[in-house]
Amino acid sequence: HFGRPRRGSPGHPVQATPSGRMDPFEDTLRRLREAFNSGHTRPAEFRAAQLQGLGRFLQENKQLLRDVLAQDLHKPAFEADISELILCQNEVDYALKNLQAWMKDEPRSTNLVSPLDSVFIRKEPFGLVFIIAPWNYPLNLTLVPLVGALAAGNCVVLKPSEISQGTEKVLAEVLPQYLDQSCFAVVLGGPQETGQLLEHELDYIFFTGSPRVGKIVMTAATKHLTPVTLELGGKNPCYVDDNCDPQTVANRVAWFRYFNTGQTCVAPDYVLCSPEMQERLLPALQSTITRFYGDDPQSSPNLGRIINQKQFQRLRTLLGCGRVAIGGQSNESDRYIAPTVLVDVQETEPVMQEEIFGPILPIVNVQSVDEAIEFINRREKPLDLYAFSNSSQVVNQMLKRTSSGSFGGNEGFTYISLPSVPFGGVGHSGMGRYHGKFTFDTFSHHRTCLLAPSGLEKLKEIRYPPYTDWNQQLLRWGMGSQSCSLL
Amino acid sequence: MFEEPQNGGGNPSERARAETALRRSRGASGRAPTPSRAPSACSSRIPVRPFWGRPRALSAGWPTPSLHPYTPPPPGPWPRSAPALLTPPPSSSPLPEPGRGRGPRGRGRGQRLSRGPPRPIGVRLWVELSPPPAPPTGSGTQRAWRSRLSDAPGPCSSLQDQAMELEVRRVRQAFLSGRSRPLRFRLQQLEALRRMVQEREKDILAAIASDLCKSEFNVYSQEVITVLGEIDFMLENLPEWVTAKPVKKNVLTMLDEAYIQPQPLGVVLIIGAWNYPFVLTIQPLIGAIAAGNAVIIKPSELSENTAKILAKLLPQYLDQDLYIIINGGVEETTELLKQRFDHIFYTGNTAVGKIIMEAAAKHLTPVTLELGGKSPCYIDKDCDLDIVCRRITWGKYMNCGQTCIAPDYILCEASLQNQIVWKIKETVKEFYGENIKESPDYERIINLRHFKRILSLLEGQKIAFGGETDEATRYIAPTVLTDVDPKTKVMQEEIFGPILPIVPVKNVDEAINFINEREKPLALYVFSHNHKLIKRMIDETSSGGVTGNDVIMHFMLNSFPFGGVGSSGMGAYHGKHSFDTFSHQRPCLLKSLKREGANKLRYPPNSQSKVDWGKFFLLKRFNKEKLGLLLLTFLGIVAAVLVKEVSSVSAWPPIVWDVRSPCAWPPRLGSEAHLCPAATPSRK
């Protein structure tokens, strides 16, 4: 996503550092670190106030946000509401409701060697958190991590995507008014600015984007040994078994594929099914697309557009793969690509090599579940995997014998609406997880604390040298089944 | 089925060559000479260790280390001196027979074989062992590693590369066969591991003891006991952990199945450390096996006896394809890191930690880094110094100070210094006797390079007691330094030896500032009668873990995650946390293909009413308690209405509760009894 040429950073006048080097971020970062060190982000009241501010931002700017989302991605209000505004609000409310419980020290069990000690895990903010957001859900993927970072008591540097310009502007200009500016900053810019910022010492980096940039971010993080969460993408397979109702499957697959014009990291990327199923699926998909978007999808208010020319051109070349069964039209001036289904696609073609990230659905034929599983396991672990079948045996087999960030049986990415479920990839689709309490945990260091009584030295006597056989037996017994080491 | 076709792999002849290389390297280990390493022979140990781990066939093209055992580094921060050693020395020495840890079967311990000339501490050992703290920008160590990682290597290196690749592929194939996944298999492997530790306890104890010149008592209580405890804990709890966890649902997913299924990650690389060579290698292994992964274990080459015994014993007890040991030094590790893994678990120092993470970034591999740091120990005026000094003495001088969470330095008010010194001195005498050198409970420094490094830390310091050293046996007496200037070398790097500097501070505020000005440590120790002060220290500082009024104990509980923060590492393990570290928590949502009508709401074309419904469905969280409450209320209302009906119609017969009948609920009213054919009328 760092493909854009360098742009000025209107939010931050470039300043010369004392050394004479131009570094626009040094001041901001120093300010934030001082604020963090002063400790005023730590009290629960402060965190709650920040979250309430975030909630107010969402409430008071509802229309503005819908407008900029429409401007950036031509997002229908329905999609903007359910995938961005409501989900963000949901996270804010959930965090506010549970903040006290999350922040509490977690008591842990102790063993006989330290029977009288108080033992607990303290959740501690990391410090300075850097959130790098993408453009496809410019609000959701920016604010949901932000909620957790603020709830955990961190100072946050937020970098919205420079590609979704409308949202970027609102996040840079309006959002800071609702938050404590001493602990929160929005930085603007493209890959170059991001690279520059990554040179600085940060305490946590949260990145959403492509695996290619993910590698760059992780490599940059090694310099200061900064922990990272990478939310990347991948080609999410969607297996359709012979034993299912094609119309129902078509409804569900089409909706999840063409949602946000296919620019969703968890969208089903390609369909795996038998040639017979394909025959039954195609008319069903055709009727679904007509029902969803009318006879002329270009004039439908329910279909978005591609974010920019670069992505549009990339997608247009993908239309040339295989044979177009449904759709296939495109319009450059509008950056419109019709909901498309491709058949007779070869594994080696570009459309099966890269993440599609657009309203194109290739169908690849396999003969059986086993072949499908083998096909999936041959590739990088995807972010999401979908299996459709009336037979729970087939679904369970799929679940058991493959690996992916998450799994949907007869369903798309509805689980994203559940804050109780962690969201995150595995292998090439990312590392780390968030949503709900998982975001809070991601941005908290779990510090182990053990407070022993300052007296009662007799109890400790057994561990001191000179060591004897008797001490050893006693220790062994005392630790019982509990693990222990004198390291 | 579970096969994952691997692309690449080279042509058959190349592969054959690589296999030969690997075989040769394995075979070589059988002939590798080992000097006697009996614990009793500690004092006679030669200061330089034989170089092992690099097969001769593959060694051409690498700089041959000079015979001179040690080049003192030029003054200045430590790692800067590394490049000097990395340049190929002019003299060429005959290579001793290489020893690779794989399958050294049938070699008796203590058997003295003919040996080549003593091998100097060469390039690789130096690099591998770089001490924990390093300047943030590329140190010599890192540069050396990096250049090795990035350089296009010569033909022999690529051969080795292929050999590694083959090994990793073999393990991956084993993982893809799926046999590491069933719970039964995991339990069986863990039980086998426990059996190994129990049956071969003597061999293991002897190996570790000879590596670190330790008494077997210490080995047992510091290492073996932990491993046994961890295995028992896993065996007990694993069945519960591997089951899917249902999650709370909202109205939208009310009728679906939603749960989190832990899943193995794949092939895990575990790189162990030398200071506790057994537990720091095996404890992560236990977690990785429990989570169902295949594992490649790389024990530290510095604790060579332990590495060898592990390479010998593990294949005898565990699955030979799923869990393999690769022994070797920096070169082998570098090659290994070029391969792709699904998780890398590293215990060691910060400089190498960065290299590991950078190599991992190339394949987007998640890492757990267990690093070190200078763990501060604050002593308040208000405490019982006798007890405090006993506890600190125990933690500091255990394993000769070579413990990653040992208290590194003491912060206290200047007036306490003399008392502390005196009391620690008394305690040392009590623990290790008058003649510490003779005490079986006191260990030695791992190698000469570390010995010299620690010696250099003593330069220009005020030694309150201790300070005696003996290069031949690498003995350094328990030492305390007083009035230490924070700018001196001993306060710049992790000490990792039996030297305890005391830095005087004015008060607790200064101590907190002192700690916060430095990198986040792995552990923090606070001693005070005043609980408020301890709480304040915890609140206002950051560290991997904290123990109040004691040292090291937070490591001992498997209910605790153990791990660092900031430069002391990332990720955590022990007990359930190990299992979680090596598992992917996969969210699963299973729906039925029926009830498509309910989905109409979300499909386009859209309208405002759909948005409002969407809001309701997404925001309302569904849980059983709430639903149960709702149901109860509803039933209550029904019951109330029924009771009212019954009491108002007095002509109706009384309600009969027929518990024998399947239709006992709802209660039948006399005249309706015939509605339930299965029930026998019980009305009198």
Side-chain angles (χ1 to χ4, degrees):
Chain A
H1 302 328
F2 287 6
R4 245 175 83 95
R6 193 203 140 100
R7 211 154 55 82
S9 334
H12 284 271
V14 175
Q15 286 173 350
T17 55
S19 62
R21 206 161 47 99
M22 302 291 266
D23 190 338
F25 305 116
E26 206 165 290
D27 261 10
T28 313
L29 294 180
R30 193 182 319 118
R31 178 170 60 82
L32 291 180
R33 195 166 289 283
E34 273 162 18
F36 179 76
N37 289 341
S38 76
H40 84 266
T41 59
R42 289 178 182 233
E45 300 76 43
F46 179 85
R47 305 184 194 190
Q50 297 301 299
L51 292 175
Q52 278 154 358
L54 205 54
R56 267 204 331 278
F57 164 75
L58 288 167
Q59 290 296 329
E60 290 171 15
N61 299 289
K62 222 178 248 175
Q63 199 48 48
L64 175 68
L65 289 168
R66 276 188 201 135
D67 291 346
V68 292
L69 288 170
Q71 180 195 326
D72 285 336
L73 287 140
H74 202 272
K75 235 176 228 204
F78 176 84
E79 291 189 5
D81 266 25
I82 69 161
S83 68
E84 309 238 27
L85 295 172
I86 296 178
L87 286 187
C88 289
Q89 187 67 49
N90 206 356
E91 284 280 336
V92 171
D93 295 346
Y94 190 72
L96 270 172
K97 198 173 133 204
N98 295 295
L99 187 62
Q100 295 285 354
W102 293 345
M103 282 177 67
K104 263 200 198 120
D105 290 339
E106 255 176 60
R108 287 296 164 106
S109 60
T110 170
N111 61 17
L112 278 174
V113 176
S114 46
L116 297 167
D117 304 351
S118 114
V119 176
F120 58 90
I121 294 176
R122 161 81 45 106
K123 276 63 163 285
E124 202 180 68
F126 273 107
L128 204 51
V129 167
F130 184 30
I131 297 173
I132 310 174
W135 51 262
N136 57 334
Y137 290 90
L139 203 59
N140 182 339
L141 299 179
T142 314
L143 295 193
V144 172
L146 179 64
V147 168
L150 292 175
N154 295 286
C155 285
V156 183
V157 187
L158 189 70
K159 202 207 82 72
S161 171
E162 75 284 7
I163 293 169
S164 47
Q165 295 171 23
T167 321
E168 183 195 32
K169 198 157 168 245
V170 172
L171 289 173
E173 287 168 10
V174 184
L175 179 60
Q177 295 168 17
Y178 291 86
L179 299 172
D180 188 320
Q181 304 237 14
S182 65
C183 321
F184 173 78
V186 178
V187 297
L188 303 175
Q192 197 176 342
E193 284 80 4
T194 311
Q196 219 173 349
L197 213 155
L198 284 172
E199 293 273 303
H200 293 86
E201 189 169 352
L202 300 156
D203 297 303
Y204 206 96
I205 300 172
F206 188 101
F207 169 80
T208 312
S210 70
R212 187 183 61 82
V213 183
K215 284 181 191 176
I216 298 172
V217 170
M218 191 172 168
T219 310
T222 55
K223 191 177 154 197
H224 298 289
L225 278 175
T226 313
V228 287
T229 292
L230 303 177
E231 298 291 339
L232 313 174
K235 286 187 82 67
N236 307 319
C238 175
Y239 175 70
V240 181
D241 191 33
D242 285 348
N243 174 15
C244 55
D245 172 36
Q247 192 56 56
T248 309
V249 174
N251 285 345
R252 296 187 187 179
V253 173
W255 189 66
F256 285 108
R257 169 77 276 191
Y258 303 126
F259 194 86
N260 200 30
T261 334
Q263 300 167 106
T264 309
C265 51
V266 282
D269 192 275
Y270 60 93
V271 167
L272 287 171
C273 68
S274 64
E276 300 79 51
M277 191 61 209
Q278 181 182 318
E279 286 309 306
R280 293 161 64 202
L281 203 55
L282 279 177
L285 278 168
Q286 177 69 68
S287 98
T288 303
I289 290 171
T290 315
R291 196 150 33 83
F292 284 3
Y293 307 107
D295 288 324
D296 176 22
Q298 192 169 3
S299 58
S300 162
N302 298 318
L303 188 70
R305 294 294 179 265
I306 305 303
I307 182 82
N308 61 11
Q309 277 297 334
K310 191 181 152 207
Q311 293 290 329
F312 175 80
Q313 296 301 346
R314 181 181 63 81
L315 286 166
R316 200 146 75 163
T317 57
L318 294 185
L319 285 175
C321 302
R323 178 169 63 80
V324 174
I326 302 170
Q329 303 84 2
S330 62
N331 181 338
E332 187 165 347
S333 64
D334 201 14
R335 295 194 307 279
Y336 159 78
I337 288 182
T340 301
V341 178
L342 301 175
V343 291
D344 301 335
V345 176
Q346 297 304 311
E347 248 187 273
T348 47
E349 286 181 281
V351 78
M352 284 308 292
Q353 298 296 318
E354 58 185 87
E355 189 177 353
I356 295 172
F357 230 64
I360 301 172
L361 182 68
I363 299 181
V364 177
N365 289 141
V366 287
Q367 297 304 332
S368 61
V369 179
D370 290 334
E371 197 188 326
I373 289 172
E374 194 249 350
F375 188 93
I376 293 164
N377 284 338
R378 213 155 57 205
R379 282 164 179 70
E380 296 291 352
K381 291 181 183 172
L383 185 54
D384 223 324
L385 178 71
Y386 305 105
F388 288 84
S389 174
N390 278 327
S391 144
S392 60
Q393 216 185 344
V394 171
V395 173
N396 279 324
Q397 211 180 358
M398 213 50 173
L399 172 58
K400 239 172 145 176
R401 289 170 51 188
T402 59
S403 181
S404 64
S406 38
F407 182 87
N410 292 320
E411 179 61 336
F413 45 85
T414 334
Y415 67 86
I416 287 198
S417 65
L418 296 171
S420 53
V421 167
F423 174 71
V426 60
H428 251 227
S429 51
M431 57 182 85
R433 56 191 80 94
Y434 73 126
H435 281 193
K437 179 162 193 300
F438 301 96
T439 326
F440 178 86
D441 286 342
T442 290
F443 291 118
S444 298
H445 163 53
H446 292 222
R447 190 184 193 188
T448 55
C449 303
L450 182 144
L451 306 185
S454 42
L456 298 168
E457 185 61 6
K458 273 281 162 238
L459 282 176
K460 311 270 176 190
E461 211 61 45
I462 58 162
R463 68 187 191 201
Y464 298 137
Y467 302 113
T468 61
D469 211 6
W470 159 242
N471 283 357
Q472 188 175 320
Q473 294 303 328
L474 209 62
L475 260 181
R476 194 177 195 171
W477 171 80
M479 286 163 184
S481 71
Q482 298 273 353
S483 152
C484 160
S485 163
L486 306 184
L487 186 71
Chain B
M1 294 273 165
F2 276 92
E3 270 180 12
E4 184 183 78
Q6 297 279 333
N7 48 352
N11 57 45
S13 68
E14 267 175 66
R15 209 174 310 145
R17 259 195 299 157
E19 264 165 1
T20 323
L22 191 71
R23 241 195 329 271
R24 217 178 289 161
S25 68
R26 278 186 203 156
S29 67
R31 288 173 278 121
T34 19
S36 166
R37 282 279 183 274
S40 55
C42 286
S43 50
S44 65
R45 274 174 79 175
I46 42 155
V48 286
R49 0 187 94 229
F51 196 69
W52 71 298
R54 193 170 65 188
R56 175 189 273 176
L58 304 177
S59 60
W62 284 96
T64 318
S66 79
L67 270 173
H68 184 58
Y70 177 77
T71 317
W78 186 88
R80 219 181 283 153
S81 52
L85 280 183
L86 284 168
T87 52
S91 68
S92 65
S93 63
L95 277 171
E97 283 286 301
R100 211 181 137 106
R102 285 195 60 91
R105 289 186 186 86
R107 194 191 326 140
R109 275 186 33 76
Q111 190 183 348
R112 197 173 278 279
L113 299 168
S114 64
R115 225 159 36 79
R119 182 64 177 216
I121 293 160
V123 178
R124 296 197 282 154
L125 304 192
W126 171 269
V127 176
E128 168 72 349
L129 254 189
S130 52
T137 46
S139 64
T141 312
Q142 278 177 289
R143 273 200 301 276
W145 272 72
R146 217 170 269 144
S147 67
R148 287 181 179 198
L149 281 172
S150 56
D151 277 358
C156 76
S157 186
S158 80
L159 252 188
Q160 174 137 25
D161 208 9
Q162 276 198 355
M164 288 293 176
E165 201 186 315
L166 278 175
E167 285 289 88
V168 176
R169 188 180 311 163
R170 183 166 68 88
V171 176
R172 191 172 290 280
Q173 291 292 358
F175 174 75
L176 290 171
S177 76
R179 68 173 187 274
S180 68
R181 292 173 180 232
L183 172 64
R184 215 163 159 205
F185 180 85
R186 305 185 198 183
L187 294 175
Q188 195 192 328
Q189 294 297 309
L190 289 175
E191 273 160 11
L193 193 63
R194 182 169 62 183
R195 226 175 43 245
M196 176 190 103
V197 178
Q198 284 165 346
E199 286 173 9
R200 313 304 289 268
E201 192 182 292
K202 284 224 156 55
D203 297 340
I204 296 171
L205 289 182
I208 309 172
S210 68
D211 273 329
L212 286 140
C213 220
K214 234 184 219 205
S215 77
E216 292 189 2
F217 276 141
N218 282 13
V219 177
Y220 191 85
S221 61
Q222 293 170 5
E223 305 217 41
V224 176
I225 211 171
T226 316
V227 167
L228 289 176
E230 180 90 348
I231 295 177
D232 287 344
F233 189 71
M234 286 284 177
L235 287 173
E236 198 179 308
N237 294 291
L238 195 57
E240 188 201 322
W241 295 341
V242 294
T243 51
K245 304 273 166 311
V247 297
K248 276 190 182 168
K249 294 179 266 190
N250 57 16
V251 181
L252 189 68
T253 49
M254 195 169 65
L255 297 168
D256 309 339
E257 241 183 293
Y259 55 84
I260 301 173
Q261 173 75 56
Q263 229 188 11
L265 292 169
V267 181
V268 170
L269 172 65
I270 294 172
I271 304 179
W274 53 263
N275 57 335
Y276 290 88
F278 189 65
V279 71
L280 293 182
T281 314
I282 298 299
Q283 200 166 4
L285 173 69
I286 294 168
I289 294 176
N293 296 286
V295 191
I296 294 180
I297 306 143
K298 217 297 289 174
S300 172
E301 73 279 15
L302 295 184
S303 46
E304 55 176 300
N305 293 309
T306 313
K308 280 179 190 168
I309 198 83
L310 286 179
K312 183 180 153 197
L313 294 183
L314 276 182
Q316 292 174 19
Y317 288 85
L318 299 184
D319 187 296
Q320 298 188 9
D321 294 321
L322 279 168
Y323 316 108
I324 68 161
I325 288 209
I326 292 184
N327 271 324
V330 172
E331 190 182 318
E332 282 79 3
T333 314
T334 309
E335 295 299 335
L336 203 55
L337 282 174
K338 286 183 191 160
Q339 308 302 320
R340 181 167 172 185
F341 298 96
D342 297 294
H343 194 96
I344 299 178
F345 187 102
Y346 169 76
T347 311
N349 66 55
T350 308
V352 178
K354 288 182 184 175
I355 292 156
I356 304 272
M357 189 170 167
E358 205 176 315
K362 292 210 168 80
H363 297 294
L364 283 173
T365 307
V367 286
T368 300
L369 303 176
E370 300 290 339
L371 313 174
K374 286 185 84 66
S375 303
C377 178
Y378 177 72
I379 303 177
D380 187 34
K381 249 195 326 218
D382 175 21
C383 67
D384 184 342
L385 275 184
D386 282 321
I387 293 176
V388 171
C389 291
R390 279 173 77 83
R391 295 183 184 177
I392 293 177
T393 308
W394 169 72
K396 177 72 195 185
Y397 300 119
M398 169 196 294
N399 204 27
C400 206
Q402 301 168 106
T403 306
C404 52
I405 52 170
D408 192 275
Y409 60 93
I410 290 178
L411 291 171
C412 66
E413 289 176 28
S415 58
L416 292 179
Q417 272 195 118
N418 286 340
Q419 283 186 67
I420 292 174
V421 168
W422 188 76
K423 290 193 160 137
I424 292 183
K425 197 175 171 185
E426 287 297 299
T427 315
V428 166
K429 201 185 282 173
E430 184 197 329
F431 285 179
Y432 304 109
E434 287 289 344
N435 191 349
I436 302 167
K437 238 174 156 176
E438 301 286 294
S439 166
D441 297 323
Y442 192 70
E443 289 86 1
R444 299 293 181 268
I445 304 298
I446 181 88
N447 63 16
L448 199 64
R449 193 180 63 73
H450 270 279
F451 177 80
K452 297 221 167 180
R453 179 183 64 79
I454 295 166
L455 276 198
S456 74
L457 298 182
L458 290 174
E459 280 163 23
Q461 297 291 353
K462 213 160 97 190
I463 296 176
F465 81 85
E468 300 86 17
T469 61
D470 175 19
E471 189 168 325
T473 55
R474 296 184 313 286
Y475 162 81
I476 297 179
T479 304
V480 177
L481 310 175
T482 48
D483 293 316
V484 175
D485 179 359
K487 290 187 201 71
T488 51
K489 206 174 154 194
V490 76
M491 286 304 293
Q492 301 298 320
E493 62 181 70
E494 188 177 354
I495 295 169
F496 229 64
I499 297 175
L500 184 60
I502 303 180
V503 180
V505 287
K506 283 197 199 71
N507 49 32
V508 66
D509 297 291
E510 202 187 317
I512 289 174
N513 281 339
F514 190 92
I515 294 164
N516 285 338
E517 275 164 15
R518 286 165 173 74
E519 295 287 357
K520 292 180 184 174
L522 186 55
L524 170 71
Y525 303 111
V526 189
F527 286 91
S528 174
H529 281 313
N530 180 354
H531 255 247
K532 274 199 189 126
L533 185 134
I534 296 179
K535 291 271 180 198
R536 190 180 153 208
M537 277 296 241
I538 296 177
D539 285 341
E540 296 182 16
T541 61
S542 181
S543 67
V546 190
T547 298
N549 283 324
D550 206 342
V551 291
I552 285 169
M553 296 302 284
H554 69 276
F555 181 89
M556 301 173 68
L557 297 169
N558 49 14
S559 54
F560 258 170
F562 177 74
V565 59
S567 71
S568 54
M570 58 181 84
Y573 73 125
H574 284 196
K576 172 87 162 67
H577 306 278
S578 288
F579 177 81
D580 287 343
T581 290
F582 293 114
S583 295
H584 167 55
Q585 309 287 337
R586 190 186 199 190
C588 304
L589 184 80
L590 305 184
K591 214 181 171 87
S592 121
L593 271 175
K594 301 186 185 79
R595 295 189 297 270
E596 181 62 3
N599 288 340
K600 283 250 165 62
L601 194 66
R602 67 187 186 202
Y603 297 142
N606 302 316
S607 66
Q608 184 56 44
S609 73
K610 278 193 179 180
V611 174
D612 296 339
W613 276 108
K615 229 181 258 179
F616 168 76
F617 282 133
L618 288 178
L619 292 180
K620 288 282 166 263
R621 253 171 304 287
F622 158 79
N623 63 31
K624 276 184 192 137
E625 292 96 70
K626 266 191 197 161
L627 198 82
L629 217 64
L630 210 71
L631 204 73
L632 215 69
T633 321
F634 177 72
L635 285 177
I637 293 168
V638 170
V641 168
L642 273 179
V643 166
K644 212 175 163 202
E645 287 280 307
V646 169
S647 58
S648 65
V649 187
S650 51
W652 282 31
I655 300 169
V656 178
W657 300 83
D658 188 347
V659 284
R660 287 165 304 158
S661 150
C663 299
W665 183 264
R668 283 177 295 117
L669 303 178
S671 57
E672 290 167 345
H674 67 278
L675 289 175
C676 185
T680 40
S682 59
R683 194 154 39 87
K684 309 282 165 352

